[in-house]
């Protein structure tokens, strides 16, 4: 029965060793969690910056499209005016040709 205190001491030593290993591993896990938390915070800040940049780009694109739309409307309006002026010029030429034809003059030939 003298082996019992030795067995108890050996078991206590083994428990102490396991507890130290556990404490060491828990410390490593805590350090890794802190590293992960810091990385997540950095990623979150980068996401916020990216979101702000995307919002600015979206605003610029929207403004660009708006300017393009206004320019397109202006150009179409100008084109319609030019076509209208051209039609009026052709109508005027036809009127003159018809008037000249009605005055006994022969209409111009091609």
């Amino acid at each position: 029965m003298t082996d019992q205190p030795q067995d108890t001491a050996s078991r206590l030593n083994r428990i102490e060793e396991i507890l130290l290993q556990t404490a060491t591993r828990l410390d490593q896990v805590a350090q890794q969690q802190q590293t992960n938390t810091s990385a997540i915070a950095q990623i979150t800040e980068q996401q916020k910056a990216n979101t702000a940049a995307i919002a600015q780009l979206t605003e610029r694109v929207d403004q660009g499209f708006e300017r393009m739309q206004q320019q397109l409307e202006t150009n179409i309006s100008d084109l319609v005016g030019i076509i209208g002026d051209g039609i009026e010029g052709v109508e005027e030429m036809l009127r003159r040709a018809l008037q000249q034809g009605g005055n006994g003059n022969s209409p111009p030939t091609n």
Side-chain angles (χ1 to χ4, degrees), residues 88-103 105-108:
E88 288 176 9
V90 169
E91 287 174 343
E92 182 61 30
M93 286 174 33
L94 287 173
R95 264 196 292 294
R96 286 183 193 162
L98 290 173
Q99 285 175 353
Q100 288 176 357
N103 291 337
N105 298 332
S106 60

Side-chain angles (χ1 to χ4, degrees), residues 70-86:
Q70 290 171 350
Q71 188 64 44
L72 182 60
E73 289 173 4
T74 298
N75 291 345
I76 289 172
S77 177
D78 292 348
L79 183 59
V80 167
I82 291 169
I83 291 171
D85 292 345

Side-chain angles (χ1 to χ4, degrees), residues 11-38:
R11 290 174 84 197
L12 288 175
N13 284 338
R14 182 67 185 132
I15 290 171
E16 183 180 11
E17 183 180 317
I18 292 170
L19 287 173
L20 286 173
Q21 289 173 351
T22 302
T24 300
R25 186 63 186 129
L26 285 174
D27 191 41
Q28 291 171 346
V29 169
Q31 289 174 359
Q32 185 61 50
Q33 283 179 331
Q34 182 59 40
T35 301
N36 292 348
T37 300
S38 295

